[in-house]
Amino acid sequence: TPDVKLVVMGRMGVGKSALVVRYLTRRFIWEYDPTLEFSYKHQTLVDDDVVSMEILDTAGQLYGDNRRQWEGHVRWGDGFLLVYSVTDKQSFHDVGRMKEFLDEAKKPRNVTAVILANKMDLNHERCISTDEGEKLAQELSCGYFEGSALLGDGVISEAIEELCREVRRR
Ligand code: GTP
Ligand code: MG
């Protein structure tokens, strides 16, 4: 069994799969395939320790459509990467709702989650500012990261490493 079970969540199209594939392969996927849901096994060094992890890349449409499967993922995971796109207001609001759902489901334990604001390269379409993102993260007591799967700026590695640290610290 992996040391850390991570679940990547967020509204459809925010870039969850692109981020995960970028993290694991350093490649960017341009195509959008909303139906994919995959789990990946991976090992990496976090603060000089080998950490084995399983990353579950969920399908955004599950959140609306198939609550039961979604709840199963929530139970399975011990760290959650909550992704929104800075070009999609609704995806930003969904993060708050997902965190509430997690808190409720994991009670009385504290939920280990970090927020990742994606698609920072799309400056002209941007509608959520860094300030708004940081404020939300503070309200939800989560770490905050922003970046772009397209640019491959390393934000996904940073966010995943932070999640691993927090999960292992518990
Ligand atoms: P679901 O699986 O339906 O929940 O969506 P998803 O969150 O996995 O989105 P996906 O990774 O498939 O990305 C959706 C679209 O956004 C694809 O066309 C990606 O190429 C694009 N995309 C993802 N990340 C970025 C980014 O950082 N910048 C830009 N410009 N496009 C991105
Ligand atoms: Mg996907």
Short mmCIF file of all heavy atoms in Angstrom, two decimals, residues 83-105:
data_model
loop_
_atom_site.label_atom_id
_atom_site.label_comp_id
_atom_site.label_asym_id
_atom_site.label_seq_id
_atom_site.Cartn_x
_atom_site.Cartn_y
_atom_site.Cartn_z
N VAL A 83 -8.48 21.75 -7.12
CA VAL A 83 -8.03 22.53 -8.27
C VAL A 83 -9.17 23.41 -8.78
O VAL A 83 -10.31 22.97 -8.89
CB VAL A 83 -7.56 21.61 -9.42
CG1 VAL A 83 -7.03 22.43 -10.59
CG2 VAL A 83 -6.49 20.64 -8.93
N TYR A 84 -8.85 24.69 -9.07
CA TYR A 84 -9.78 25.50 -9.85
C TYR A 84 -8.99 26.17 -10.97
O TYR A 84 -7.75 26.16 -10.97
CB TYR A 84 -10.54 26.51 -8.99
CG TYR A 84 -9.75 27.65 -8.41
CD1 TYR A 84 -9.58 28.84 -9.14
CD2 TYR A 84 -9.20 27.58 -7.14
CE1 TYR A 84 -8.86 29.91 -8.60
CE2 TYR A 84 -8.49 28.64 -6.60
CZ TYR A 84 -8.32 29.80 -7.34
OH TYR A 84 -7.61 30.85 -6.82
N SER A 85 -9.73 26.72 -11.92
CA SER A 85 -9.10 27.46 -13.00
C SER A 85 -9.35 28.94 -12.77
O SER A 85 -10.48 29.35 -12.47
CB SER A 85 -9.69 27.04 -14.36
OG SER A 85 -9.36 28.02 -15.33
N VAL A 86 -8.30 29.76 -12.93
CA VAL A 86 -8.45 31.20 -12.72
C VAL A 86 -9.33 31.84 -13.80
O VAL A 86 -9.68 33.01 -13.73
CB VAL A 86 -7.09 31.94 -12.66
CG1 VAL A 86 -6.27 31.46 -11.47
CG2 VAL A 86 -6.32 31.79 -13.96
N THR A 87 -9.72 31.05 -14.80
CA THR A 87 -10.60 31.54 -15.86
C THR A 87 -12.05 31.10 -15.65
O THR A 87 -12.89 31.34 -16.50
CB THR A 87 -10.15 31.02 -17.24
OG1 THR A 87 -10.31 29.59 -17.26
CG2 THR A 87 -8.70 31.36 -17.51
N ASP A 88 -12.33 30.42 -14.54
CA ASP A 88 -13.66 29.83 -14.35
C ASP A 88 -14.16 30.10 -12.92
O ASP A 88 -13.77 29.42 -11.98
CB ASP A 88 -13.56 28.32 -14.63
CG ASP A 88 -14.87 27.58 -14.41
OD1 ASP A 88 -15.86 28.20 -13.95
OD2 ASP A 88 -14.90 26.37 -14.68
N LYS A 89 -15.03 31.09 -12.81
CA LYS A 89 -15.55 31.52 -11.50
C LYS A 89 -16.24 30.37 -10.78
O LYS A 89 -16.10 30.21 -9.57
CB LYS A 89 -16.55 32.67 -11.69
CG LYS A 89 -15.99 34.01 -11.31
CD LYS A 89 -17.08 34.97 -10.87
CE LYS A 89 -16.46 36.15 -10.15
NZ LYS A 89 -15.84 37.14 -11.04
N GLN A 90 -17.02 29.63 -11.53
CA GLN A 90 -17.77 28.53 -10.92
C GLN A 90 -16.82 27.51 -10.29
O GLN A 90 -17.09 26.98 -9.21
CB GLN A 90 -18.66 27.88 -11.97
CG GLN A 90 -19.68 26.93 -11.38
CD GLN A 90 -20.60 27.62 -10.37
OE1 GLN A 90 -21.19 28.66 -10.66
NE2 GLN A 90 -20.68 27.06 -9.16
N SER A 91 -15.71 27.27 -10.95
CA SER A 91 -14.76 26.28 -10.42
C SER A 91 -14.14 26.78 -9.11
O SER A 91 -13.82 25.98 -8.23
CB SER A 91 -13.66 25.98 -11.45
OG SER A 91 -12.72 27.02 -11.56
N PHE A 92 -14.01 28.10 -9.00
CA PHE A 92 -13.50 28.72 -7.77
C PHE A 92 -14.50 28.50 -6.63
O PHE A 92 -14.13 28.09 -5.53
CB PHE A 92 -13.27 30.21 -8.04
CG PHE A 92 -12.83 31.00 -6.86
CD1 PHE A 92 -11.55 30.90 -6.36
CD2 PHE A 92 -13.71 31.90 -6.26
CE1 PHE A 92 -11.14 31.66 -5.27
CE2 PHE A 92 -13.30 32.66 -5.17
CZ PHE A 92 -12.02 32.53 -4.67
N HIS A 93 -15.78 28.73 -6.92
CA HIS A 93 -16.80 28.51 -5.89
C HIS A 93 -16.91 27.04 -5.51
O HIS A 93 -17.15 26.72 -4.35
CB HIS A 93 -18.15 29.06 -6.35
CG HIS A 93 -18.13 30.55 -6.52
ND1 HIS A 93 -17.76 31.40 -5.50
CD2 HIS A 93 -18.40 31.33 -7.59
CE1 HIS A 93 -17.81 32.65 -5.92
NE2 HIS A 93 -18.19 32.64 -7.21
N ASP A 94 -16.72 26.16 -6.46
CA ASP A 94 -16.80 24.72 -6.18
C ASP A 94 -15.77 24.28 -5.14
O ASP A 94 -16.02 23.36 -4.37
CB ASP A 94 -16.59 23.90 -7.46
CG ASP A 94 -17.88 23.79 -8.26
OD1 ASP A 94 -18.89 24.40 -7.87
OD2 ASP A 94 -17.87 23.09 -9.30
N VAL A 95 -14.61 24.93 -5.13
CA VAL A 95 -13.56 24.54 -4.17
C VAL A 95 -14.07 24.67 -2.74
O VAL A 95 -13.87 23.78 -1.91
CB VAL A 95 -12.28 25.38 -4.39
CG1 VAL A 95 -11.35 25.28 -3.20
CG2 VAL A 95 -11.57 24.93 -5.64
N GLY A 96 -14.75 25.76 -2.45
CA GLY A 96 -15.31 25.96 -1.12
C GLY A 96 -16.32 24.88 -0.76
O GLY A 96 -16.31 24.32 0.35
N ARG A 97 -17.16 24.55 -1.71
CA ARG A 97 -18.18 23.52 -1.46
C ARG A 97 -17.54 22.15 -1.28
O ARG A 97 -17.97 21.35 -0.43
CB ARG A 97 -19.18 23.50 -2.62
CG ARG A 97 -20.03 24.76 -2.65
CD ARG A 97 -20.87 24.89 -3.92
NE ARG A 97 -21.54 23.65 -4.25
CZ ARG A 97 -21.79 23.25 -5.49
NH1 ARG A 97 -21.38 23.98 -6.51
NH2 ARG A 97 -22.43 22.13 -5.72
N MET A 98 -16.51 21.87 -2.05
CA MET A 98 -15.83 20.57 -1.91
C MET A 98 -15.14 20.45 -0.56
O MET A 98 -15.19 19.41 0.09
CB MET A 98 -14.81 20.40 -3.03
CG MET A 98 -15.47 20.11 -4.36
SD MET A 98 -14.27 19.90 -5.68
CE MET A 98 -15.40 19.60 -7.05
N LYS A 99 -14.54 21.54 -0.13
CA LYS A 99 -13.85 21.50 1.18
C LYS A 99 -14.86 21.28 2.30
O LYS A 99 -14.61 20.51 3.23
CB LYS A 99 -13.07 22.80 1.39
CG LYS A 99 -12.36 22.92 2.74
CD LYS A 99 -11.30 21.86 2.91
CE LYS A 99 -10.32 22.15 4.05
NZ LYS A 99 -10.89 22.53 5.32
N GLU A 100 -16.02 21.92 2.21
CA GLU A 100 -17.07 21.70 3.21
C GLU A 100 -17.49 20.24 3.23
O GLU A 100 -17.68 19.63 4.29
CB GLU A 100 -18.30 22.55 2.90
CG GLU A 100 -18.25 23.93 3.49
CD GLU A 100 -19.38 24.80 2.96
OE1 GLU A 100 -20.48 24.26 2.65
OE2 GLU A 100 -19.16 26.02 2.82
N PHE A 101 -17.65 19.69 2.05
CA PHE A 101 -18.04 18.28 1.92
C PHE A 101 -16.98 17.38 2.56
O PHE A 101 -17.30 16.45 3.30
CB PHE A 101 -18.22 17.95 0.44
CG PHE A 101 -18.75 16.57 0.19
CD1 PHE A 101 -20.11 16.34 0.06
CD2 PHE A 101 -17.88 15.49 0.10
CE1 PHE A 101 -20.60 15.07 -0.16
CE2 PHE A 101 -18.37 14.21 -0.12
CZ PHE A 101 -19.73 14.00 -0.25
N LEU A 102 -15.71 17.68 2.31
CA LEU A 102 -14.62 16.89 2.88
C LEU A 102 -14.61 16.98 4.41
O LEU A 102 -14.47 15.97 5.10
CB LEU A 102 -13.27 17.39 2.35
CG LEU A 102 -12.94 17.11 0.89
CD1 LEU A 102 -11.64 17.81 0.49
CD2 LEU A 102 -12.81 15.62 0.65
N ASP A 103 -14.76 18.21 4.91
CA ASP A 103 -14.77 18.39 6.37
C ASP A 103 -15.87 17.55 7.01
O ASP A 103 -15.66 16.90 8.03
CB ASP A 103 -14.98 19.88 6.71
CG ASP A 103 -13.73 20.70 6.45
OD1 ASP A 103 -12.62 20.14 6.48
OD2 ASP A 103 -13.87 21.92 6.20
N GLU A 104 -17.03 17.58 6.39
CA GLU A 104 -18.17 16.83 6.90
C GLU A 104 -17.88 15.33 6.86
O GLU A 104 -18.12 14.60 7.82
CB GLU A 104 -19.40 17.17 6.04
CG GLU A 104 -20.71 16.67 6.56
CD GLU A 104 -21.05 17.23 7.94
OE1 GLU A 104 -20.79 18.43 8.19
OE2 GLU A 104 -21.57 16.44 8.76
N ALA A 105 -17.34 14.86 5.74
CA ALA A 105 -17.11 13.43 5.54
C ALA A 105 -16.01 12.89 6.45
O ALA A 105 -16.06 11.72 6.84
CB ALA A 105 -16.75 13.15 4.08
#
